[in-house]
Amino acid sequence: MGEIRTFAEGERAPRVVLIGLASCFGCQINITNIEEHLLAVLGQIDMAYWQLTSSAPMPDEFDVAVIEGAVTTEEAAETVRRARERAQCVIAIGACAATGGIPGMASDDLPGHVAAVYGEAAPEACGSLREPVPVSAVIDVDYTVNCCPIDPMEFVRVLDAALYGSNYLPVTSVLCGECSRNEQGCLYQRGQMCLGLVTRAGCGAKCPALGRACNGCAGLSPDANVASARYVAEKRGFNPARIDEALEMFNTVQLAAEGEE
């Protein structure tokens, strides 16, 4: 991954492409929900390709590639490799692109999952299936916007950093700190199991603030200690295996990479 070129005011508008892989396209849709700011954002870039809005082919030349979705086929892997070769900057958005997300749940037994859905053979339209992985498992990624779905304003901040530069450092701490700052109290004290013990912070702990336990969609924090999370859950009266079961929704690929059972 080379140095990311930023664009000075007065230069031509940077060309941006938005690629959709295996996902529900919810993160792309969520970007359109910032109606008040969307035109201002689009006014700073040349939106050369947006898979959700057009069936036109992706151009050969562009500056920034935004990728939503997990890599689940050899064709998708080749798509992201071509994007990396052409783009000065690659941004992965959403849990599927960042951690493998929901598609990643099939990574532990792909043949079994395919057989359960399609029977003896998957349709040709599925392409050459491979174990689902995040985009970063195939190419170098410059920026990541976590969560499911993404916060559209966080996407705007990251896109701005990609275009113009920023000294903002990625968050690495776990979510519990944000819960403490929100002063809503710990959900374990209310009898709810929560994955904030091991999930990467940065979302503002929106779900716990509304009384809903974190489901880990931002991915495991680099500071996460899953073994300690199991211990805490057990001390609070939960079967520690429930931590692993809950983590599988968004973090199966990452847990496998780190050797977790």
Side-chain angles (χ1 to χ4, degrees), residues 28-70:
Q28 295 186 54
I29 292 172
N30 221 28
I31 292 172
T32 67
N33 286 335
I34 52 170
E35 296 95 341
E36 183 179 352
H37 307 285
L38 185 59
L39 291 179
V41 173
L42 294 177
Q44 298 181 55
I45 63 176
D46 174 5
M47 197 71 209
Y49 173 78
W50 191 340
Q51 188 176 1
L52 184 65
T53 63
S54 173
S55 58
M58 186 167 64
D60 291 329
E61 296 182 3
F62 47 87
D63 303 297
V64 179
V66 180
I67 304 176
E68 178 198 40

Side-chain angles (χ1 to χ4, degrees), residues 76-90:
E78 182 58 28
T79 294
V80 299
R81 291 190 191 102
R82 289 200 305 268
R84 178 73 273 182
E85 290 170 358
R86 290 164 170 76
Q88 298 171 24
C89 177
V90 173

Side-chain angles (χ1 to χ4, degrees), residues 93-154:
I93 64 169
C96 297
T99 68
I102 299 296
M105 294 175 70
S107 64
D108 60 339
D109 178 19
L110 182 61
H113 286 285
V114 171
V117 175
Y118 298 112
E120 295 183 359
E124 291 185 7
C126 290
S128 303
L129 293 172
R130 54 173 287 170
E131 289 190 355
V133 293
V135 175
S136 61
V138 180
I139 61 171
D140 288 330
V141 170
D142 301 300
Y143 295 93
T144 300
V145 185
N146 295 302
C147 296
C148 178
I150 60 169
D151 181 329
M153 296 311 297
E154 175 67 5

Side-chain angles (χ1 to χ4, degrees), residues 235-246:
K235 293 287 286 184
R236 290 290 183 177
F238 297 99
N239 184 333
R242 286 187 58 190
I243 287 281
D244 301 278
E245 293 170 359

